[in-house]
Amino acid sequence: MPSVYREFSGFTRAARCGILKGKGGSGVEIIWDFDGTLFDTYPLMARCLQRALADAGQEAGCEEIRAQMAVSLAQAFQHFGAEEATIARYRQYIQEAGPQGVAPYPGAAEALARVQQAGGHNHIFTHRGSSTRWYLREHGLLDRFSLLVTSEDGLPRKPAPDGILRILQRSGAPREAFAMVGDREIDVLAAHNAGILACRFAPEEPDVSTEAEIVLTDLRDILKAIEEERTK
């Protein structure tokens, strides 16, 4: 299925072109979300939370859990009234599943390689902690990334732009070279709050309602989408 690209009226054409082209011909700088974007972690996360809730005597369906996780994991915990013991049990089940319990989305590894081959860099801004590097290392993808901002950095959560701004500062690349790719609207809002391009990854919902400039159904289309925006 081809990706769908949507413009956001909040960006003028001149600003949009500036973001996409970067400065001095520099490569594109892509900031990726992790859960639900690079890695298909939601099925495992939903099963583990369902199991942890059941241990506490609470029944919940995986689809309902996933719907809450689509907002944020914190939202899911709050929605189900998960207490500290339940959250700890959830994290235990995630740990026991190991890195092979989840896999990158189809095309993720290829998309990351293409960005590097085009002279760009890949970065991550995620609410996940140390397990981010664990998953990347176990799947042979850690060397595809230049900068990672995780919960270990102690920065405000999305849609606050602090994690993106940290990457911009450390990278030294111009702001207009950056784009953020994520599966949730909080990723889009974080990108716009930082003044960079937003790409919404929606592999099963190409007509998703979003303020993102670009909607992707296939991660491998990221450079193609940017190039098409450049030529508009």
Side-chain angles (χ1 to χ4, degrees):
M1 178 185 298
S3 288
V4 178
Y5 315 125
R6 183 180 295 115
E7 295 184 6
F8 173 52
S9 59
F11 281 81
T12 65
R13 177 174 174 78
R16 187 169 63 246
C17 289
I19 290 172
L20 294 170
K21 290 185 177 180
K23 185 181 296 182
S26 61
V28 176
E29 304 286 322
I30 306 294
I31 302 175
W32 303 87
D33 176 46
F34 187 89
D35 293 291
T37 301
L38 289 173
F39 278 70
D40 187 13
T41 54
Y42 290 147
L44 173 65
M45 292 168 65
R47 291 195 302 271
C48 289
L49 182 53
Q50 182 185 47
R51 186 178 173 189
L53 290 170
D55 290 345
Q58 184 175 353
E59 294 185 4
C62 277
E63 288 305 313
E64 182 184 5
I65 294 173
R66 289 186 65 172
Q68 295 301 319
M69 287 181 170
V71 179
S72 70
L73 181 58
Q75 167 65 25
F77 289 153
Q78 180 179 359
H79 176 80
F80 294 106
E83 298 181 351
E84 287 301 319
T86 298
I87 294 174
R89 186 65 62 88
Y90 160 79
R91 300 193 188 285
Q92 174 189 334
Y93 291 147
I94 288 288
Q95 186 75 16
E96 291 174 354
Q100 300 308 318
V102 298
Y105 270 99
E110 187 175 349
L112 296 171
R114 288 180 180 179
V115 170
Q116 289 184 319
Q117 292 163 4
H121 300 92
N122 297 296
H123 314 286
I124 284 182
F125 174 30
T126 177
H127 293 162
R128 180 177 286 273
S130 61
S131 60
T132 304
R133 289 179 175 80
W134 181 50
Y135 280 117
L136 292 173
R137 185 180 299 109
E138 291 299 319
H139 287 274
L141 296 175
L142 187 57
D143 63 351
R144 292 296 185 189
F145 294 91
S146 298
L147 297 169
L148 282 76
V149 172
T150 72
S151 64
E152 294 178 296
D153 290 275
L155 297 176
R157 298 168 68 88
K158 306 166 190 171
D162 302 61
I164 294 175
L165 296 176
R166 173 73 62 84
I167 291 173
L168 266 63
Q169 180 184 34
R170 289 181 175 176
S171 73
R175 184 187 304 264
E176 57 266 26
F178 283 85
M180 172 85 198
V181 183
D183 66 299
R184 298 175 296 175
E185 202 63 10
I186 60 172
D187 298 304
V188 174
L189 294 174
H192 288 167
N193 288 337
I196 68 171
L197 185 76
C199 305
R200 178 78 180 263
F201 179 50
E204 299 176 359
E205 194 178 359
D207 295 322
V208 63
S209 177
T210 180
E211 292 186 345
E213 294 75 60
I214 294 172
V215 176
L216 295 172
T217 59
D218 188 326
L219 295 176
R220 289 166 290 198
D221 286 342
I222 182 62
L223 294 182
K224 175 185 174 183
I226 290 176
E227 183 59 31
E228 289 190 2
E229 288 287 336
R230 282 177 172 173
T231 58
K232 285 184 177 179

